[in-house]
């Protein structure tokens, strides 16, 4: 089994992020069964909190899919895509591509709108694709974890509305860390995960369907992800699967902490710690991949300097300082480190600790910090 060591690993990668002692205590609460009267009240609490944290319009159905972020992604697609549905998929990195692939598996005719890895999508390309394809759905990743890029979701959703299309948004690396307003931005289906900016363990993924999306639900070919069956369980208490009470307690506590902090204050904290990190990187002579204005506050993609072996830096951080940062994916493997400052992991002292240890690890490889 896992050795319980005196020091936890400081989780500063692309997720999972650190969990607060409050959420850890919630994880230790006694087990309740999935239809216990006390337990279903906690589920109602989670649903209500999620509607507020998503800032979803009245009549929305928000809940948690028992699975990781990918299971919420699949729930979004499986209930909106039918064979032959025309979909415009914005692909600006690894997770945009995953959404496009998933839509294809459910029978969609997908038109991909791409951007170079490290840049946000140009909304005029989405407009052209909507006009030429006649698509009824647009999929887009708000915070692309593979590149550290923020996509212009609000502008894209406005274009989708003009074409009477639904907008499905991946907010896995943004919910609870960056501004997101489902009602004001006119989004239709939005999902996230529990292990990043929300500060809970992975395994119970928030999702919301607005009334507009609920009206346009397609028959679902998956049993586990069928929205009608999931609603029967979450709302009408009809057995569908054996919910993990432990994960529900943890998400409920994490959401309570978000509401106590306040959404705006929480976003501001993520922005401040991101800026602190960027300033510190600059003084080490390091830069990030996306241009200013397209950068996430939650996930920073740091460019590996010439001559530095990327994996060796991560090894020093992990083995000597108990700090985890992530590697690059796909075409960015070996070229970037992915540094997550999300939820409990978004804290000034962790930024300071990371910058200091980054310097040590780089100097081991004879890196010269600019004067
Ligand atoms: N979407 C984005 C943007 C992600 O960053 C991730 C995971 O990092 C996922 C989807 C998939 O989430 P999970 O790994 O929890 O299934």
């Amino acid at each position: 089994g896992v050795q319980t060591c005196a020091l936890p690993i400081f989780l500063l990668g692309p997720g999972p992020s650190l969990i607060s002692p409050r959420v850890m205590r919630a994880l230790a609460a006694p087990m309740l069964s999935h239809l216990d009267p006390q337990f279903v009240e906690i589920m109602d609490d989670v649903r209500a909190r999620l509607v507020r944290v998503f800032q979803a319009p009245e009549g929305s159905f928000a809940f948690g899919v028992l699975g990781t972020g990918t299971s919420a992604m699949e729930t979004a697609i499986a209930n909106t895509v039918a064979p032959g549905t025309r979909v415009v998929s914005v692909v600006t990195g690894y997770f945009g591509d995953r959404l496009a692939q998933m839509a294809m598996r459910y029978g969609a005719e997908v038109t991909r709108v791409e951007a170079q890895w490290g840049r946000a999508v140009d909304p005029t390309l989405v407009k052209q694709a909507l006009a030429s394809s006649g698509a009824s759905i647009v999929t887009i990743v708000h915070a692309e974890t593979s590149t550290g890029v923020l996509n212009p979701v609000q502008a894209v959703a406005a274009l989708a509305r003009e074409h009477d299309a639904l907008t499905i948004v991946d907010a896995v690396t943004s919910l609870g860390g960056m501004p997101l307003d489902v009602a004001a931005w006119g989004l239709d289906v939005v999902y996230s995960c529990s292990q990043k900016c929300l500060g809970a363990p992975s395994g119970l993924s928030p999702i919301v369907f607005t009334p507009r999306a609920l009206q346009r639900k397609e028959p679902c070919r998956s049993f586990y992800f069928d929205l009608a069956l999931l609603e029967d369980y979450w709302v009408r208490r009809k057995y569908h699967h054996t919910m993990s009470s432990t994960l529900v307690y943890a998400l409920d506590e994490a959401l309570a902490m978000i509401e106590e902090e306040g959404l705006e204050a929480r976003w501001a904290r993520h922005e401040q710690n991101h800026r602190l990190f960027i300033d510190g990187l600059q003084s080490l002579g390091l830069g990030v991949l996306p241009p200013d204005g397209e950068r996430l506050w939650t996930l920073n993609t740091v460019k590996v300097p010439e001559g530095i072996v990327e994996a060796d830096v991560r090894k020093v951080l992990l083995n000597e300082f108990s700090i985890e940062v992530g590697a690059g994916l796909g075409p960015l493997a070996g070229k970037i480190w992915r540094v997550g400052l999300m939820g409990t992991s978004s804290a000034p002292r962790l930024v300071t600790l990371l910058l200091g240890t980054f310097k040590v690890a780089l100097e081991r490889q004879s890196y010269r910090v600019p004067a």
Side-chain angles (χ1 to χ4, degrees), residues 4 23 68 75 106 119 124 157 184 188 250 285 311 313 346 352:
T4 315
V23 172
T68 66
T75 304
Y106 278 85
R119 292 305 308 269
T124 58
D188 300 295
V313 171
S346 170
T352 307

Side-chain angles (χ1 to χ4, degrees), residues 118-358:
R119 292 305 308 269
V121 72
D122 174 356
T124 58
L125 298 179
V126 178
K127 189 179 173 137
Q128 286 163 14
L130 274 163
S132 63
S133 68
S136 58
I137 293 178
V138 176
T139 66
I140 183 166
V141 176
H142 187 208
E144 180 49 78
T145 324
S146 60
T147 62
V149 166
L150 178 71
N151 271 315
V153 159
Q154 192 177 1
V156 166
L159 294 169
R161 282 279 164 130
E162 282 174 21
H163 288 82
D164 194 34
L166 292 179
T167 307
I168 298 178
V169 178
D170 178 314
V172 166
T173 300
S174 59
L175 184 70
M178 300 205 61
L180 173 77
D181 190 328
V182 173
W185 295 3
L187 315 180
D188 300 295
V189 183
V190 185
Y191 61 85
S192 189
C193 71
S194 41
Q195 74 270 19
K196 300 196 192 208
C197 305
L198 300 185
S202 75
L204 185 60
S205 300
I207 189 165
V208 65
F209 288 77
T210 63
R212 186 163 177 257
L214 292 171
Q215 270 168 15
R216 288 164 63 162
K217 180 194 170 332
E218 289 289 348
C220 185
R221 290 195 284 175
S222 158
F223 194 91
Y224 195 70
F225 300 124
D226 187 334
L227 188 59
L229 300 177
L230 290 166
E231 202 173 0
D232 272 348
Y233 172 51
W234 277 82
V235 180
R236 289 175 284 279
R237 322 307 195 194
K238 203 171 142 191
Y239 166 71
H240 171 255
H241 61 280
T242 308
M243 177 54 78
S244 159
S245 55
T246 305
L247 290 179
V248 171
Y249 307 150
L251 183 60
D252 192 41
E253 192 68 8
L255 292 169
M257 288 181 67
I258 291 175
E259 295 204 280
E260 284 164 29
E261 183 175 5
L263 275 179
E264 309 243 326
R266 194 174 177 94
W267 298 335
R269 167 163 68 85
H270 282 77
E271 181 177 16
Q272 279 157 18
N273 292 323
H274 159 73
R275 295 206 184 279
L276 192 66
F277 183 57
I278 295 286
D279 290 350
L281 284 178
Q282 253 166 15
S283 62
L284 292 177
L286 300 174
V288 292
L289 183 69
D292 203 5
E294 294 182 7
R295 292 175 190 161
L296 297 175
W297 303 337
T298 49
L299 194 282
N300 304 274
T301 44
V302 181
K303 289 192 268 187
V304 177
E306 280 274 320
I308 296 292
V309 182
E310 177 275 317
D312 288 355
V313 171
R314 277 187 293 117
K315 251 182 235 157
V316 172
L317 292 181
L318 187 61
N319 297 340
E320 295 181 35
F321 302 109
S322 299
I323 295 175
E324 182 188 272
V325 301
L329 284 176
L332 294 174
K335 297 189 177 141
I336 55 166
W337 293 289
R338 292 188 300 149
V339 174
L341 299 172
M342 301 187 272
T344 304
S345 295
S346 170
R349 64 205 148 116
L350 294 178
V351 173
T352 307
L353 184 68
L354 177 61
L355 288 166
T357 51
F358 240 134

Side-chain angles (χ1 to χ4, degrees), residues 77-113:
I77 297 294
N79 291 284
T80 52
V81 170
T85 301
R86 276 171 285 178
V87 174
V88 166
S89 285
V90 172
V91 179
T92 65
Y94 180 90
F95 292 103
D97 178 68
R98 182 176 287 194
L99 254 172
Q101 284 188 40
M102 215 176 256
M104 282 179 66
R105 284 184 184 223
Y106 278 85
E109 281 173 32
V110 175
T111 305
R112 292 163 69 104
V113 175

